[in-house]
Amino acid sequence: MSRKTFEQVVQELRGKPILVANRGIPARRICRSIRESFDAIPVMTATDIDKTAPAASAAQELLLLGENPRAYLDLDRIVRLAKQRGIVAIHPGWGFASEDESFPRICKEAGMIFIGAEEEPMRLLGNKVQVRALAKTLDIPVVPGSDGAVDVPKAREIAAKIGFPVMLKAEGGGGGRGIFEVHSEAGLEDAFFKASTMAQASFGNPRVYVEKFLTNVRHIEIQVIADKYGNVFAFDERDCSLQRNNQKLIEITPSPWKGLTPELRETLKGYARKLVLAVGYHSVATVEFLVTAEGTPYLIEVNTRLQVEHGITECRYGIDLVEEQIAIAFGSGLRFTEQNTRPLQHAMQVRINCEDPQKGFSPNSGLVSRYVSPGGLGVRIDSNLSAGYEFPSNYDSAGALLITYAHDWTKTLGIMERALGEYTVGGIKTTIPFYRQVLKYPLFRQGECDTRFIAAHPDLMDYPDVARESERTARLIADISALGYNRFVKLGEYRTSTTPRMPKFEPVLPPIPNAVRDESSPYPRGDRKALLSYVRDSGFVHFTDTTTRDNTQSNSGNRFRLAEDLLVTPYLDNCNFFSLETGGGAHFHVNLMANMTSPFVEAREMNRVAPKTMKQILVRSTNVLGYRPQPRNVMQATAEKICEEFHVIRSFDFLNHIENMKPFAEVVLHNKGVIFEPSLSLTYGRGFTVEHYLGVTEEILRQTAQILGSDLHEASRNIILGLKDMAGNCPPHFMRELVTALRNKWPELVLHHHRHYTDGLFVPAVAEAAKAGAHIIDTSMGAAMRWYGQGEILSTAAYLEELGLKTNLNKNMLRECNFVLKQIMPYYDRYTAPYFQGIDYDVVSHGMPGGATSSSQQGALNQGYIHLLPQMLRFLAGLRQIVHYHDVTPGSQITWNTAFLAVTGAHRRGGTPAVEHLLQVLEHVAHTPENELSKEMKEARLDIYKDCNDAFRGLLLGEYGKLPLGFPPDWVYQSVFGEDWKNAIAKRTEHSPLDSLPDADFDAERAALREHLHRDPSDEELLLYLNHPADALNTFEFRVNYGNPNNLPLDVWFEGLQPGDELNFTDSQEKPHHLSLMSIRKPDENGVSIVRYVLDSEIMSTEVQVTKGGAGGKQNVSKADPDNPYHVGAPSNGDLWVTYVSPGQVVRKGDELFNISIMKQEKAVLAPMDGIVKRVLKTADYSGSKKMVPVREGELLVELGPVPSVCANPACGKPLPADTYTFCPYCGGKAKSDVKE
Amino acid sequence: MSEAPFSSNFLSASLPDKPAASGCFALTEGLGGEAVSFSLEALFGVEALLGPTMPQSDEAAADFFNVPAPVYLCDEVTSTFAVAHALAQKGALPTWGAVLAACQTAGKGQLRRQWQSPRGNLYVTFRLPDNPLFQTSAPALVTGVLLAMALGRLGYPLRLKWPNDLLNRDQAKAAGILLENRGGVLLAGVGVNLRALPDVQQLRRERAAPAGLLLTQYGEPAPLAPFALWQALVREAISTYDQTFANATAEALPDLVEPFLTWRGESVTVSDTDGTLLSGMLEGISPAGGLCLRTSDGRSHELFRGSLARA
């Protein structure tokens, strides 16, 4: 072949097809040069998965390889197909077969040009052992070590000579795989064994060699290009030191490291040129060195192909290496000389991989929901990504190569930072946010990082990977719209996408006159004593509004959002309420669980829009805001936080065990601006007399006095006493008697009455209390008042006024507020109202509090026991006669569960007659004195608590605190604990559970939370987490994925949008956005629906799991054919959690193929015979992905085939995947002994 | 090395030719857990299993080493499963035959999680009987109940957290069970915390129960060496099995399990590995061994996977 000019080659190639035998980024990159430089026809190989990949757009034609994703490795077939098409030349790209020495020869035999080196030079430079030998003859330094594969004694000898640490490297390895570090003589033999086993398993070649393990080294490489006429050009170095597990992540040219001197650069270039010339190599190659901190270089290997990082060299010199490589392959002389090819720019590349750095860089695949590539000065992108592309899991995770370049390093860094900021890939995790972290690191910016940088800086992984809020909100809207219901409010599938909709929520908000706004509240703030004096002496009956807390808790499942609170509260603020009850109780945790809003943020926001009126919160003594006792230090920290946001703190204990409130009381009473309101839990029933409650009140005052260091009288002037009738079952006469007695005994004690409407006697009961001298009454707004919350304010006030009592309410403002609520409530009524509604006078006997009245009964309905509901309620009434405590959280749940379990248990054993019998026993026992009970009845009553649960057992043992009327009789213990009852009695305690509860370890909890958040949690977040770990995480996670839920209008929150709908919304920064929903695609076979929408004029899509794909039999599962011995199926229904084999792998009989987990039984499925794995239909890797794959019994999971022929190389001897193989894919040697060279 | 104070008849150091009906064997685990070799030296490595007081006479030893099924005693192994699988392959592990180790370097928890195995606790893998109840979908649950019953009769009341964590009276996990079915041989691996708790730092974050010790009904730690506990436990387990399980069918499963089931009738959550969370009331156990959960929307769910926690 005579020497041609570049122009001659261009003429020759015009219109000719050139094949890139590759995929993804390299294929696209090379096709671009084929088209732009030669006007030739770029052809690309493509398997079915890749036919429509973004990279394929660069090709003019595709050479289709069919469905086997591994077809890129079948060179014979590719060359045969290429020949049929009339391809003139093949470029191998990088990866796949690019370093297969046989490729040039196969091309040559087929009469095509191979765009790369020739076989022999490729072999001489490409083999690590050979190139080492060659380098030694050329006086090029190599890493000290063995000259070839070694055995243990030899390894020991060499290690002794070169000194530890050393590395054991697999001869067949590469790309950083198969390397073992050994730090001492003692570990050598063990490591050798492991390295060799691993090498055999990974590369089919057990041979390992020894190398000195160099610390603090940089990876520096020299790109060279040579023509067929002895011309060679070496480019400035690329610094590839930023690696993870020896895989390059960032490449830079020239090296920003100060140690890379011009002299060193020239030395390295000289070595590179020498090597290439020594073997008569042409085409591109890269010579890789490790350079120590002192600047001593060691050759490590030569890559005989185009490399991923070649682009930065192109940017530095303003050249096209691929164009030159193609021309050289066709006989062109090398155009680059030291005169015409000068380094002009600095350049760096980051590899954008579809990996999650925070999960050990685990690769991920899936729909790219959004794609915005950066642009502007100094940016180059080679990618295989686009919006809507389903990034496949079959190949490597390379998504894009982002290069920036500029006249100096600082500017290059600046452009990269900016470009990474612009770069958006939605739907899958990428390394982009990780690189943003790296770019911030001073050590990196100074060019001072060696190959250990990432391993040595685990803090690089701490970053929140969060999309813009508008994007997250859009994702939320898509989710609700596709499902038709909002799964996050946790109300079940309450509607579908076709259920008729509520009107759009566009509230009309009447203005609040400035005169009213400017009026200050009559209630003194910040001074407890002044406030209490005012309440005591003003002559008014005062009101607390519960609309945004207890009322929504009782009637709307606590789903009332902050968004609506903010609409209503400004009006409430101007009604002259004593306080607004806005927080606490179940509201606290439901806010985190279903409203995804921090209760503290909610409190702050409400204080912002309603600054005049005091805010009130309810805490549950030891349980504070949760459902089980909290350690003292958590109680105190929570109390301190609560005192920052709230002004009246009501506390109750369902056992009236006053000591349980103490840690809280201590914090609150020492804060003069905040009022403590310890409460009597009230119920109407045997033993709970006025005298009893006077006793409890005295206990409260005694504890208060002790904390304040005062007498009881003074204590009574410093608190409010809550009278908390949670079930709403204390009759009016009882309230009159109780309040009268309290006022007589403690004339200066301010009383605050709280009651529910359930029995229908709200107004007369609170009126009796007020008339008898109760100072403050809890009510709710008429438009929001329903069945189980508080009674209505205006009617209550009207009746009190008729009785001659005075009120100080702004009734006009109450009406305005009602008007706003009238517009809001229909949405909540529709979707969150309780199932059973109305007055339930029977509460006086069953005692279920507030919202539990309906929810617990609905539970019975839902569980298929509606026919037993009357019996359950009778049972409840009976139980209350035997074990006495108050019907409020958690007591009410305990009672309900006990009744439910007893009735359903009896029913299961003996049907309705058994239930009736048990009830008769209970009712008889409840109303008959012990000495009148027959022996049979004493026996029969032991069945009453037979089915009770652990919570009831705990209650009887005193785990919640002291029972208000003492422990129940011994027979209850016999019934509950059976044979063990005496032990139980011996074990029970009357101590506060606080005494035995160790303090929480805040540091450990903070560290745990940090792991979840990938950043330092704030104190407030930690507090939420301490109180409700799971629900707090629910909120944190929701916010990261879906933004602020309060951004959505109420109708969209519950119903989503329909295709064609438009929505304007503002984000938390008050920035306006526009969303237009385009389409909701029908769910695919996996139950996933794709929602497409335009957000601020950018088209995006989100995948939503609409149905449980597969479970309904919709998914196509292949069944293992029981008559086919090669079919291996799932042995049972269960979860596939680990797959050990992959296609092409040879297995021996008895090898474990995969493992199925079913309820903690792990079933190993073994190969029934020797064979080769032909297909693997499902795979799982639980330890990596934390995902299990559900499988059905008999489902085909692995298909084996007969054992094929084995490799002729005795050192390898691996079975070949197919008979047609000429070269062994494991050892690279000849597969059959008859093949001639 | 010192002499044993008793004749080694009671603690054999050679592999039995055929499955031994009973007896104790001291052995060392071979490389990689595949081969198992037997040596007299091993006898002195297992002191940690046998407890501080070695029998001082043949008479005492006969009593001391009296077990109803063979027990293989090891000092340190990768995992008792590995040794048991190897023995089963050699045909040396009959039903109830067990491998005890003083510690494990790679103790197995579910899904390749590590079962931390500090010395002082019982680590045992034993072979389950070939019985219809163990061929249902829930042999792990059955094993859990069997052990809860047996340990209860020995004075260690435990409750069962579905599917088979055993919780002590403080609701702390005192024992864990994992079943492995390999080539038709069903093995149960059991770890019981007698003395040492695993390092809290390394426990799975999402765990539903803290780790605790095996406690008596009086709340005291069990005062037994691992071997002594196993000796009593296997005897009790066999008799419990014969009385209650041998002829039982799957229909009996709920009645067997539910009395031991913790959190029944309470609000619980079951979280799946894919992050989905189901909350509801724990109703009981289905005949297939699934967890019956009623969610607030009224649906009943029978669950076979997931991690159970109190709501």
Side-chain angles (χ1 to χ4, degrees), chain A residues 848-867:
Chain A
M848 280 284 109
T853 315
S854 174
S855 61
S856 50
Q857 297 185 37
Q858 191 190 348
L861 170 79
N862 291 340
Q863 292 169 37
Y865 290 119
I866 185 67
H867 58 294

Side-chain angles (χ1 to χ4, degrees), chain B residues 219-268:
Chain B
E220 292 140 1
L224 290 179
F227 174 73
L229 176 65
W230 176 249
Q231 198 180 28
L233 178 58
V234 70
R235 202 168 285 143
E236 201 60 56
I238 293 172
S239 84
T240 305
Y241 172 82
D242 289 343
Q243 287 163 24
T244 321
F245 289 70
N247 300 313
T249 56
E251 284 66 47
L253 199 56
D255 283 346
L256 283 175
V257 174
E258 286 178 356
F260 289 88
L261 197 62
T262 194
W263 304 340
R264 196 164 159 237
E266 289 186 48
S267 294
V268 295

Side-chain angles (χ1 to χ4, degrees), chain A residues 708-746:
Chain A
L708 291 174
S710 71
D711 60 17
L712 295 189
H713 174 73
E714 179 61 16
S716 78
R717 296 169 52 85
N718 270 282
I719 57 168
I720 295 176
L721 181 71
L723 307 175
K724 193 164 159 50
D725 179 2
M726 299 77 43
N729 68 357
C730 292
H733 74 84
F734 180 76
M735 286 316 300
R736 180 177 65 237
E737 290 153 16
L738 178 63
V739 172
T740 306
L742 283 168
R743 290 301 314 265
N744 283 340
K745 182 99 193 268
W746 308 104

Side-chain angles (χ1 to χ4, degrees), chain A residues 628 862-863 897 908 949-950 987 1011 1135 1137-1138 1140 1152 1159-1162 1164 1182-1183 1186 1188, chain B residues 111-113 139-140 162 164-165 169 179-182 205 262 264-265 294 296 298 304-305 311:
Chain A
R628 69 190 75 168
N862 291 340
Q863 292 169 37
N897 285 334
R908 220 163 22 151
N949 64 13
D950 292 352
K987 246 167 60 178
E1011 290 234 326
D1135 295 307
W1137 61 279
V1138 60
Y1140 294 101
E1152 189 166 339
M1159 287 193 295
K1160 275 197 157 176
Q1161 181 192 190
E1162 293 177 358
Y1182 182 77
S1183 39
K1186 298 284 170 246
M1188 301 201 269
Chain B
L111 305 174
R112 265 195 221 146
R113 288 175 193 132
W162 181 89
N164 66 2
D165 284 343
R169 48 180 251 159
L179 262 58
E180 279 195 358
N181 184 337
R182 191 176 276 267
R205 173 132 290 121
T262 194
R264 196 164 159 237
R294 284 270 180 188
S296 59
F304 290 96
R305 53 195 273 185

Side-chain angles (χ1 to χ4, degrees), chain A residues 379-424:
Chain A
V379 174
R380 164 175 167 176
I381 284 190
D382 293 338
S383 91
N384 186 29
L385 290 173
S386 65
Y389 177 48
E390 186 91 34
F391 194 86
S393 55
N394 311 66
Y395 301 104
D396 68 15
S397 55
L401 302 173
L402 171 61
I403 295 175
T404 64
Y405 52 95
H407 53 80
D408 65 19
W409 170 233
T410 314
K411 177 76 174 169
T412 307
L413 275 173
I415 298 176
M416 182 58 84
E417 274 189 300
R418 189 259 301 162
L420 285 169
E422 291 173 4
Y423 210 164
T424 307

